[in-house]
Amino acid sequence: MQHVSIIKIGGNIIDDKEATTRFLLKFSQVPGYKLLIHGGGKIATQIAERLGLKAQMVDGRRITDQSMLEVVTMVYGGLVNKQLVAGLQAKGCNAIGLTGADGNSVLAQKREVATIDYGFAGDIVAVNAQQISSLLEQQLTPVFAPLTYDTTGSMLNTNADTMAATIAWSLASRYNVHLIYCFEKKGVLSDPDNDNSVIPALTLPMYEQLKQQGIISKGMIPKLDNAYTALRKGVQRIIICHADELQTVVSTSTVSGTTLSL
Ligand SMILES: Nc1ncnc2c1ncn2[C@@H]1O[C@H](COP(=O)(O)OP(=O)(O)O)[C@@H](O)[C@H]1O
Ligand SMILES: CC(=O)N[C@@H](CCC(=O)OP(=O)(O)O)C(=O)O
């Protein structure tokens, strides 16, 4: 089976020009089939504020009304996606920028209103693995914005960690999939105030316990929930690491960051 590296880059790195440039160089050097999924929540919040819109997050998910949907479509699908694609082209990586609507890649449905109305937030219904494979086989590197679409023709806002995990497990029957979450810390920490307290190997029971103790919190919870689902669904290897450690993590000889297991 061919190997594919699925790499997610978070909004705190994208918001830092120098960190992004360093990451793009490392990403461009990852050998074999690869795919990038980016966030950009921090930039969307800043631009929304400039337009007089206040961001509202619940459990790490953005409440996305019509105006916010317009902002995130512009920011994720336009500004952030195209800057990353151009940056990769400059490093010799033939990237192609996509949202879930492009090539019918990731279909979703508007999240049903339960206790909270998330507005135009999309829950993924189907990933077009054939379409993604055909891009990889053409030696293109897909770069996905965290946007999906529905059958009524509306764009939807989907959490980037969820998008990365869902694409990863949807490709797991065709490829050996490695999923790497890159962010601004060295891994999952046993002490959130100590950046060097990286947990090298995190099992699901350990995660449950640290979550209960409040040691794992905020955006790390949806990230890990998605990641453990991806492991259960056949993704071979999942690592959470600092964006600067990408190269170390993909060359399997050295251990860095946090490796997940069930
Ligand atoms: N135990 C922990 N180890 C590392 N990060 C943690 C932990 N608990 C909470 N976090 C928080 O989770 C955040 C990462 O989640 P998120 O903001 O969604 O990341 P991303 O930038 O990848 O989208 C970190 O910035 C950190 O503040
Ligand atoms: C529905 C939802 O919450 N979507 C996310 C998509 C961006 C994202 O996930 O960005 P980070 O990876 O930088 O956090 C949002 O708008 O914040």
Side-chain angles (χ1 to χ4, degrees), residues 147-168:
L147 293 166
T148 52
Y149 82 111
D150 70 13
T151 50
T152 71
S154 174
M155 291 303 287
L156 295 171
N157 181 13
T158 296
N159 176 275
D161 290 341
T162 310
M163 191 119 166
T166 312
I167 291 175

Side-chain angles (χ1 to χ4, degrees), residues 33-196:
Y33 288 166
K34 59 191 169 192
L35 201 146
L36 180 64
I37 290 126
H38 64 81
K42 207 169 161 181
I43 300 175
T45 297
Q46 288 161 4
I47 293 182
E49 271 170 17
R50 277 201 243 157
L51 296 169
L53 301 171
K54 186 143 180 49
Q56 226 191 313
M57 308 292 292
V58 176
D59 294 334
R61 256 82 177 171
R62 189 178 305 269
I63 308 272
T64 309
D65 63 10
Q66 182 64 44
S67 304
M68 192 56 80
L69 179 65
E70 288 172 10
V71 172
V72 297
T73 302
M74 290 188 281
V75 173
Y76 304 151
L79 184 68
V80 174
N81 189 270
K82 299 311 155 199
Q83 281 180 340
L84 292 176
V85 169
L88 286 173
Q89 292 295 353
K91 290 174 173 50
C93 172
N94 197 1
I96 179 163
L98 302 161
T99 70
D102 297 288
N104 178 32
S105 305
V106 189
L107 178 69
Q109 63 188 17
K110 192 166 175 282
R111 180 168 302 180
E112 277 176 25
V113 180
T115 43
I116 293 153
D117 182 1
Y118 283 92
F120 292 94
D123 290 325
I124 299 175
V125 171
V127 171
N128 189 341
Q130 180 57 47
Q131 175 64 29
I132 296 173
S133 295
S134 99
L135 294 172
L136 295 172
E137 280 153 24
Q138 290 173 69
Q139 311 306 320
L140 289 163
T141 297
V143 177
F144 275 101
L147 293 166
T148 52
Y149 82 111
D150 70 13
T151 50
T152 71
S154 174
M155 291 303 287
L156 295 171
N157 181 13
T158 296
N159 176 275
D161 290 341
T162 310
M163 191 119 166
T166 312
I167 291 175
W169 79 62
S170 302
L171 294 179
S173 60
R174 296 168 182 252
Y175 302 98
N176 285 332
V177 179
H178 287 189
L179 173 61
I180 304 161
Y181 285 101
C182 293
F183 74 139
E184 80 286 3
K185 299 204 183 281
K186 291 181 182 167
V188 183
L189 307 175
S190 59
D191 172 2
D193 297 326
N194 176 1
D195 274 359
N196 290 318

Side-chain angles (χ1 to χ4, degrees), residues 14-29:
I14 295 168
D15 193 41
D16 176 339
K17 257 204 167 88
E18 284 173 15
T20 302
T21 304
R22 287 199 305 275
F23 168 79
L24 290 179
L25 177 62
K26 291 191 166 110
F27 179 87
S28 70
Q29 292 166 344

Side-chain angles (χ1 to χ4, degrees), residues 199-215:
I199 305 168
L202 185 68
T203 63
L204 184 55
M206 276 166 76
Y207 163 49
E208 297 294 352
Q209 197 183 354
L210 292 172
K211 185 166 63 172
Q212 264 190 359
Q213 294 168 341
I215 292 169

